[in-house]
Amino acid sequence: MRTMTAGPVGPAVGAEGHRGLILGVFLAFVLLTLAITVRAGRRTGGTSDFFAGGRSFTGFQNGLAISGDYMSAASFLGVTGTIALFGYDGFLYSIGFMVAWLVALILVAEPLRNSGRFTMADVLAFRMRQRPVRTAAGISTIVVSVVYLLAQMVGAGSLVALLLGVDGAGAKKLIILGVGLLMILYVTVGGMKGTTWVQIVKAVLLMGGTILLTALLLARFGWNLSTLLGAAGEASGKGSAFLEPGLKYGATSMSKLDFLSLGVALVLGTAGLPHILVRFYTVPSAKVARHSVNWAIVIIGAFYLMTVVLGFGATALVGPKAVKASNAAGTTAVPMLAERLGGGAGSTGGAVLLSVISAVAFATILAVVAGLTLASSSSFAHDLYAQVIRRGRATERQEMRAARLAAVGIGAVAVGLSIFADKLNTAALVALAFAVAASANLPTILYSLFWKRFTTRGALCSIYGGLLSSVLLVTFSPVVSGKATSLVPTADFAWFPLENPGLVSIPVGFLLGWAGSLLSPEEPDRAAKYTELEVRSLTGAGAH
């Protein structure tokens, strides 16, 4: 998933003189979400409430929450900025996001809801040996979540510092610390109920803000999309080539392969992201889970179509040079467009619209990091603590206390890493999170649900093999060394040519799961557990 990349930031977002208004809108949203969280926390009793929101949400509510969890600031700012700078090639990002939800709907939403209770490991451990499989699934969940958290929080530091007009590493560190404290509060106080309502509010605000900007933009061009695209092509300086593929990903055969690798990771990784998977457990039945994914597809699809309009609109009205002068990755394209549509720099209308859109962007960050923290802390408490360490003897109260402590610990780790990682390419971090999810989590989920001969050894080979191959390939890729934009630009040990490992690591995850099962000395499905899991996953009989 495209996200914000730390880069040169200039003064192009002209909110000088209106910082107080922006800060006021930020604080209003924070106070609103904290009030929601505290209220939800008062209604949180046992583990079902804390981990799954009491399974009390409707399909529409959960669809909004899924959308709020998925549509991050990376999507709102990163994809739109890429379109503003590279035209059609930036639009290709949106395709992967929309197609990904069809995979989630068809393959995992209903069977996962029927087969599990709180986490992905519940499904995997149903047929396998509990302790090794839950350990592997817990480690994978925490790794994916922390990598994703790191990317979001580094982006948050750059974005909020820019919009509030503060400069310097110290200011960014304070912002990251503030975001970390808020996400810990959301999880420890509100649990899944509080986090879900924060995500619902965020989804409504994000869709409302996006619809408003899209309507104002199209009205500026007489509601004629063709006129808008023509103006964007002219303003880009590239003419019709701006509306055709090739500006970003078509330069070489390797760049085409890299985009294919990224696309595969995006499409398959969504169905293996832990913070998305846990959302299927917050509804009362598999039928409602299916409805919630249908709603999510509609909402997310509409959102990404509007990002296309906004991206080309930023090119037409703001111009790619101004966007790039503000932020090299283009992530300030939407705030700059909002200010222009509101009346321009220095105008009250421009300041108000910029403040609202900036607060919406901040809301997206808070909602996503809260979902990630909850997913990883739930996996630690339910899988590693309750089932592996305590061997199933932990009480609900102990399990919830472990989850809250884990949220504090994971939040502290994410804040600590983010404070010292402001130079990292966060787009590559998010892509790595998707690649790990697709390489380690998705193969084990699909094999567990649909292959009778899958064994514990196969699950361990798939999870650890997919996890290690993803990390190893990225370590020896241009993301870490070999280029001026690499993490270590002065060194060159990049023997793997692709920036995203998905094209290699995803097949490795599936292959190792298959080979590990066939070479396993244990007899597969000795207790006829597969038949029981198949009936449960298809019918919901015995589901929690």
Side-chain angles (χ1 to χ4, degrees):
M1 179 182 289
R2 179 74 178 177
T3 187
M4 292 157 286
T5 306
V9 174
V13 177
E16 290 79 3
H18 297 282
R19 304 296 182 190
L21 178 61
I22 295 175
L23 182 60
V25 177
F26 278 0
L27 292 177
F29 173 78
V30 170
L31 292 175
L32 172 64
T33 52
L34 284 176
I36 292 171
T37 301
V38 170
R39 184 176 180 182
R42 290 173 181 168
R43 298 191 227 173
T44 298
T47 52
S48 179
D49 285 332
F50 191 86
F51 294 141
R55 311 191 196 283
S56 58
F57 292 96
T58 66
F60 178 63
Q61 289 172 336
N62 197 45
L64 276 172
I66 289 173
S67 304
D69 222 356
Y70 190 69
M71 299 183 306
S72 66
S75 304
F76 188 43
L77 302 175
V79 172
T80 310
T82 304
I83 294 171
L85 295 179
F86 299 103
Y88 183 90
D89 278 14
F91 161 69
L92 293 177
Y93 270 110
S94 305
I95 301 299
F97 297 137
M98 289 186 280
V99 173
W101 275 104
L102 297 177
V103 177
L105 173 64
I106 294 170
L107 294 180
V108 302
E110 190 171 350
L112 197 73
R113 171 60 188 83
N114 282 337
S115 308
R117 189 183 178 200
F118 296 140
T119 66
M120 171 186 74
D122 288 334
V123 178
L124 306 183
F126 189 86
R127 302 174 47 198
M128 315 295 173
R129 296 198 307 275
Q130 291 268 331
R131 297 186 72 200
V133 169
R134 285 190 183 274
T135 300
I139 291 173
S140 176
T141 295
I142 292 171
V143 169
V144 172
S145 299
V146 169
V147 171
Y148 212 145
L149 270 173
L150 182 60
Q152 293 294 322
M153 295 181 72
V154 169
S158 299
L159 170 70
V160 180
L162 170 66
L163 295 174
L164 294 182
V166 295
D167 198 9
K172 290 183 182 180
K173 290 176 182 179
L174 286 176
I175 292 168
I176 290 172
L177 179 61
V179 172
L181 291 174
L182 282 173
M183 77 180 184
I184 291 171
L185 274 175
Y186 290 148
V187 174
T188 56
V189 175
M192 179 58 84
K193 283 187 176 180
T195 300
T196 298
W197 280 111
V198 169
Q199 290 164 345
I200 289 173
V201 170
K202 170 258 172 147
V204 171
L205 289 175
L206 181 59
M207 287 301 292
T210 308
I211 290 170
L212 174 62
L213 287 183
T214 303
L216 291 174
L217 178 62
L218 289 176
R220 182 74 67 95
F221 289 91
W223 300 94
N224 190 321
L225 186 59
S226 178
T227 302
L228 169 61
L229 294 176
E234 185 177 346
S236 71
K238 299 178 176 64
S240 60
F242 192 71
L243 307 178
E244 299 171 357
L247 287 182
K248 183 174 176 65
Y249 300 114
T252 64
S253 298
M254 196 56 65
S255 67
K256 293 177 183 178
L257 275 178
D258 217 347
F259 177 72
L260 177 62
S261 186
L262 173 63
V264 171
L266 291 177
V267 170
L268 297 181
T270 298
L273 288 174
H275 68 296
I276 298 297
L277 296 178
V278 297
R279 295 241 52 91
F280 299 139
Y281 298 125
T282 63
V283 292
S285 68
K287 182 179 180 181
V288 181
R290 187 169 64 251
H291 288 167
S292 65
V293 177
N294 286 334
W295 275 113
I297 289 173
V298 171
I299 296 168
I300 291 169
F303 169 76
Y304 281 111
L305 288 176
M306 287 189 287
T307 62
V308 176
V309 177
L310 296 180
F312 284 112
T315 305
L317 294 183
V318 180
K321 289 184 179 178
V323 171
K324 204 164 188 178
S326 175
N327 182 275
T331 53
T332 56
V334 170
M336 294 175 74
L337 176 63
E339 187 177 48
R340 182 65 59 88
L341 290 172
S347 67
T348 302
V352 170
L353 199 53
L354 172 62
S355 302
V356 171
I357 297 305
S358 301
V360 168
F362 186 56
T364 64
I365 293 169
L366 292 180
V368 172
V369 296
L372 288 163
T373 306
L374 181 64
S376 52
S377 61
S378 297
S379 183
F380 175 86
H382 182 64
D383 298 323
L384 297 179
Y385 174 75
Q387 301 297 329
V388 177
I389 298 173
R390 295 297 304 275
R391 298 175 182 267
R393 294 191 296 269
T395 64
E396 285 196 4
R397 190 172 181 178
Q398 290 172 330
E399 203 169 326
M400 289 172 62
R401 184 170 64 242
R404 289 188 169 102
L405 290 174
V408 174
I410 291 168
V413 169
V415 168
L417 290 175
S418 301
I419 284 175
F420 298 102
D422 61 324
K423 301 297 183 185
L424 286 179
N425 185 320
T426 52
L429 283 173
V430 171
L432 174 60
F434 271 72
V436 173
S439 305
N441 295 346
L442 185 63
T444 54
I445 292 171
L446 296 183
Y447 280 143
S448 293
L449 291 172
F450 303 114
W451 189 30
K452 185 176 182 178
R453 296 194 62 183
F454 196 46
T455 65
T456 299
R457 176 178 287 185
L460 298 180
C461 289
S462 186
I463 293 175
Y464 289 129
L467 178 63
L468 292 174
S469 63
S470 301
V471 174
L472 182 67
L473 291 176
V474 167
T475 301
F476 293 101
S477 76
V479 171
V480 176
S481 70
K483 292 179 13 180
T485 56
S486 300
L487 177 60
V488 188
T490 56
D492 187 0
F493 45 86
W495 53 262
F496 183 67
L498 303 180
E499 292 190 5
N500 188 281
L503 202 60
V504 175
S505 63
I506 295 172
V508 165
F510 277 98
L511 181 63
L512 289 177
W514 171 77
S517 296
L518 293 184
L519 299 175
S520 175
E522 62 186 298
E523 183 181 342
D525 201 36
R526 184 173 54 186
K529 279 287 190 179
Y530 175 75
T531 303
E532 184 180 348
L533 178 63
E534 184 178 34
V535 171
R536 176 177 289 192
S537 67
L538 295 177
T539 67
H544 295 281

